[in-house]
Amino acid sequence: MQPSGWLWALVAVCVADTFRDEAERIMRDTPVIDGHNDLPWQLLKMFNNELLHERANLSTLQGTHTSIPKLRAGFVGGQFWSAYTPCDTQNKDAVRRTLEQIDVIHRMCQLYPETFVCVTNSTGIQEAFREQKVASLIGVEGGHSTDSSLGVLRALYHLGMRYLTLTHSCNTPWADNWLVDTGGDQAQSQGLSDFGERVVREMNRLGVIVDLAHVSVATMKAALRQSRAPVIFSHSSAYSLCANRRNVPDDVLRLVNETGSLVMVNFYSYYVSCQEEATLSQVADHLDHIKKVAGAGAVGFGGDFDGVSSLPVGLEDVSKYPDLVAELLRRKWTEEEVRGALADNLLRVFRAVEQVSSHMQIPEEKPIPWDQLEGSCRTRYGYSEAPSLHRGLGALLATLALLLSGLCLL
Ligand SMILES: *[C@@H]1O[C@H](CO)[C@@H](O)[C@H](O)[C@H]1NC(C)=O
Ligand SMILES: *[C@@H]1O[C@H](CO)[C@@H](O)[C@H](O)[C@H]1NC(C)=O
Ligand SMILES: *[C@@H]1O[C@H](CO)[C@@H](O)[C@H](O)[C@H]1NC(C)=O
Ligand SMILES: [Zn+2]
């Protein structure tokens, strides 16, 4: 190498370090709030949720993308932990499994109080920042977790759920999932059914963020139209850079801008590059694109750590966020834009959701019609005495009366 070559290499190294130092300086008072992490699912799979298992110690946990030292190194200050149960639990034990995943998140906060603090509002997140703890929030991943019940939805809210992803990778009786757009599933609700619209209204009333990761494009548009508060995509990337239906197309990104909503970019290699391999720089391309189309206020991070099988080179676990932030600074993002992507955009959306919520307003009561429910293990309580049956009985009596009056005429 020529001397000038050495010099350039040295300059490159020094500049790289400068961006990384700058990233850490910013993240010391604006740590990242990540939209989606599946550590609770790993805890179920690896330890059947036994947190006292010797190898389950979160300070020394191995073989996962997430641990306490990695969260600290990554300047993670807020995390929506995913309370996830797979679609094959739909119409079976989905509600029980969801409650157990919520419980394991509560127990994480209880067992590691020096690291995690479970919070349920935007003020709580900011207090956690000041105390240098990881504000821990609960996102329920998939409408099947509610078993199509507004009562269950409200109970999950009381247990701390602050976003609900309307579907996972299966339709619910009231919302279509992204596989409808690949031809893998049949459209059922053409977006949201009437009941699906009631679910969104009730989420608005409660103050639960509507999450549109995993839903079909028709569901995205229906929910963006229906919701009175901004929505999020807790872990989705840009469709125009990687044509996977889990990603958000540009026309929806424009609606995201118009509604003040938020796209938290998913790092799964397959959603970033549409291939098995991807790089940190390609993740930054998604952030750049969403910023260009939806605005700097519409960008966030939703890494999907511990929920995916492959991650980009340079973003192998939750400790790597400062490297991604350094890359954004290298790409001339302003400090304000970076703070937005890290935390301020999510805080803005969450505050707007809290503003719209109104616990004084009367809750939605009208349940899903019986004939829209699926599965054979249900009891019919309530429905068997429901007005529709009275109507049926009324019609029967009216027919009888008609028949009798007919007889009298003879
Ligand atoms: C985890 O391990 C650390 C040290 O290795 C220990 O101090 C701590 O008490 C353990 N925590 C739990 C909950 O077992
Ligand atoms: C936010 O949550 C905290 C508990 O973390 C609670 O004390 C506080 O009252 C809540 N604030 C609002 C505005 O609801
Ligand atoms: C939406 O776009 C407008 C115009 O480009 C921009 O000023 C605004 O900040 C964007 N909104 C968000 C949330 O980024
Ligand atoms: Zn997911």
Side-chain angles (χ1 to χ4, degrees):
M1 206 187 277
Q2 298 295 315
S4 64
W6 282 106
L7 196 62
W8 276 117
L10 190 65
V11 167
V13 165
C14 293
V15 169
D17 278 349
T18 304
F19 287 126
R20 170 75 202 205
D21 290 348
E22 183 71 355
E24 289 195 14
R25 181 186 66 79
I26 292 171
M27 294 180 86
R28 262 191 281 280
D29 39 64
T30 310
V32 59
I33 303 172
D34 179 273
H36 195 84
N37 184 302
D38 271 308
L39 179 65
W41 176 245
Q42 294 300 326
L43 295 173
L44 175 71
K45 283 205 305 182
M46 296 167 77
F47 310 111
N48 209 5
N49 284 344
E50 291 184 43
L51 293 183
L52 295 179
H53 192 292
E54 202 180 296
R55 281 185 295 112
N57 189 322
L58 298 184
S59 300
T60 52
L61 186 64
Q62 299 292 316
T64 53
H65 304 144
T66 313
S67 68
I68 289 174
K70 286 170 185 163
L71 289 164
R72 291 297 187 197
F75 292 85
V76 178
Q79 184 65 65
F80 281 90
W81 300 107
S82 176
Y84 162 70
T85 181
C87 276
D88 63 354
T89 64
Q90 175 154 235
N91 301 319
K92 296 194 187 104
D93 52 355
V95 173
R96 174 210 159 135
R97 292 235 176 238
T98 304
L99 296 181
E100 287 174 344
Q101 293 314 96
I102 289 176
D103 169 71
V104 85
I105 296 166
H106 287 159
R107 283 189 288 124
M108 276 168 53
C109 293
Q110 191 180 31
L111 208 50
Y112 300 93
E114 66 293 337
T115 303
F116 302 117
V117 55
C118 278
V119 304
T120 52
N121 57 43
S122 55
T123 317
I125 296 178
Q126 286 169 301
E127 279 168 15
F129 281 9
R130 281 193 291 275
E131 292 169 18
Q132 313 228 329
K133 290 184 181 168
V134 182
S136 294
L137 298 113
I138 297 169
V140 171
E141 191 179 19
H144 61 289
S145 283
T146 67
D147 201 23
S148 304
S149 160
L150 294 168
V152 171
L153 178 77
R154 284 185 282 269
L156 293 175
Y157 168 82
H158 287 300
L159 291 174
M161 170 181 73
R162 287 299 177 272
Y163 77 61
L164 172 68
T165 319
L166 297 185
T167 71
H168 190 253
S169 300
C170 52
N171 291 343
T172 65
W174 43 273
D176 289 347
N177 85 102
W178 66 285
L179 290 171
V180 162
D181 296 331
T182 68
D185 266 348
Q186 295 269 313
Q188 215 174 310
S189 302
Q190 326 301 329
L192 290 173
S193 72
D194 289 347
F195 181 75
E197 292 187 351
R198 289 208 289 286
V199 170
V200 170
R201 266 203 297 279
E202 188 63 356
M203 289 170 70
N204 285 166
R205 189 192 67 86
L206 289 166
V208 176
I209 304 170
V210 175
D211 176 26
L212 301 179
H214 284 277
V215 306
S216 72
V217 171
T219 310
M220 293 175 192
K221 289 179 179 171
L224 279 156
R225 208 175 326 113
Q226 179 69 28
S227 180
R228 289 182 297 116
V231 307
I232 63 168
F233 291 79
S234 68
H235 57 303
S236 298
S237 302
Y239 182 82
S240 81
L241 297 192
C242 164
N244 185 296
R245 293 294 184 176
R246 269 289 280 103
N247 289 337
V248 189
D250 283 354
D251 59 335
V252 175
L253 287 179
R254 282 185 277 275
L255 296 175
V256 164
N257 173 274
E258 286 164 21
T259 53
S261 296
L262 176 65
V263 179
M264 307 176 92
V265 169
N266 191 317
F267 301 167
Y268 181 32
S269 298
Y270 207 74
Y271 299 158
V272 170
S273 65
C274 285
Q275 293 177 337
E276 284 306 309
E277 288 92 37
T279 63
L280 179 150
S281 168
Q282 287 175 310
V283 173
D285 293 344
H286 282 264
L287 291 156
D288 269 340
H289 181 83
I290 294 164
K291 180 181 154 196
K292 189 179 80 194
V293 180
V299 191
F301 304 110
D304 213 356
F305 284 111
D306 281 311
V308 299
S309 50
S310 59
L311 285 158
V313 174
L315 283 173
E316 292 84 358
D317 59 54
V318 300
S319 71
K320 304 299 175 79
Y321 286 103
D323 294 327
L324 182 56
V325 170
E327 175 63 19
L328 298 181
L329 293 168
R330 189 172 297 118
R331 293 179 183 212
K332 305 207 163 32
W333 284 48
T334 66
E335 183 168 330
E336 192 189 347
E337 289 168 348
V338 165
R339 288 188 196 273
L342 284 168
D344 291 348
N345 297 340
L346 185 281
L347 285 168
R348 183 200 75 234
V349 168
F350 198 10
R351 279 189 213 110
V353 168
E354 289 168 344
Q355 284 279 302
V356 165
S357 78
S358 164
H359 293 264
M360 304 306 281
Q361 215 182 308
I362 293 165
E364 290 284 331
E365 289 194 339
K366 200 169 155 23
I368 192 166
W370 173 262
D371 59 13
Q372 288 176 20
L373 288 170
E374 296 147 5
S376 57
C377 65
R378 289 168 204 285
T379 53
R380 261 193 95 118
Y381 296 117
Y383 283 103
S384 55
E385 298 297 326
S388 63
L389 195 76
H390 289 305
R391 270 203 297 281
L393 210 63
L396 193 70
L397 287 175
T399 313
L400 265 174
L402 248 159
L403 271 172
L404 284 175
S405 63
L407 279 176
C408 293
L409 280 178
L410 280 175

